[in-house]
Amino acid sequence: MMLAVAALALTAGPASAQQASPVGNVANGERLYVQVGCYQCHGLAGQGALMTGPRVSRTAFSYLGFLARLRHPVNQMPPYEAAVLSDQDAADLYAYLQQMPVPRDPGSIPLLKPAR
């Protein structure tokens, strides 16, 4: 009996994690990224800037970490409470950010190479 309960507890974990991370709609996330003004501080490509906001493309945060930071930000970012941006909208934003292209290596950009 105890073994069955332990097995049930182990199998319930991933299902709960999946429920906590809804599937996001990339197209809606892209629309929201512009509509709610994310691009103003984080850039159109999510690249961020030293004085305005960090890079958000391909964020290392899990969805739940992203949601926590969205709801309770640090520094100058306004909080996006559920009344303003639903959990599903947040999942859509997260899906959009996660599918953005990997930033280019600065060494591959000719204008950023040192003069010889």
Side-chain angles (χ1 to χ4, degrees):
M1 177 72 169
M2 289 298 281
L3 187 55
V5 171
L8 182 58
L10 288 174
T11 59
S16 298
Q18 288 173 355
Q19 290 173 353
S21 303
V23 174
N25 178 305
V26 172
N28 190 50
E30 181 177 16
R31 183 186 66 74
L32 287 168
Y33 188 79
V34 173
Q35 181 184 1
V36 300
C38 303
Y39 75 94
Q40 293 172 332
C41 296
H42 299 286
L44 287 172
Q47 76 277 8
L50 185 60
M51 298 303 290
T52 59
R55 179 180 65 81
V56 291
S57 65
R58 300 284 178 138
T59 180
F61 281 117
S62 68
Y63 167 72
L64 293 177
F66 172 77
L67 184 62
R69 184 57 58 99
L70 192 65
R71 301 285 191 237
H72 308 285
V74 295
N75 299 327
Q76 300 294 322
M77 183 172 150
Y80 287 91
E81 297 174 1
V84 175
L85 201 66
S86 71
D87 287 353
Q88 183 59 58
D89 286 343
D92 295 348
L93 270 172
Y94 185 76
Y96 173 63
L97 296 174
Q98 290 302 93
Q99 64 79 48
M100 287 180 149
V102 175
R104 287 178 57 185
D105 174 13
S108 71
I109 302 171
L111 287 174
L112 298 179
K113 291 184 179 180
R116 294 181 194 200

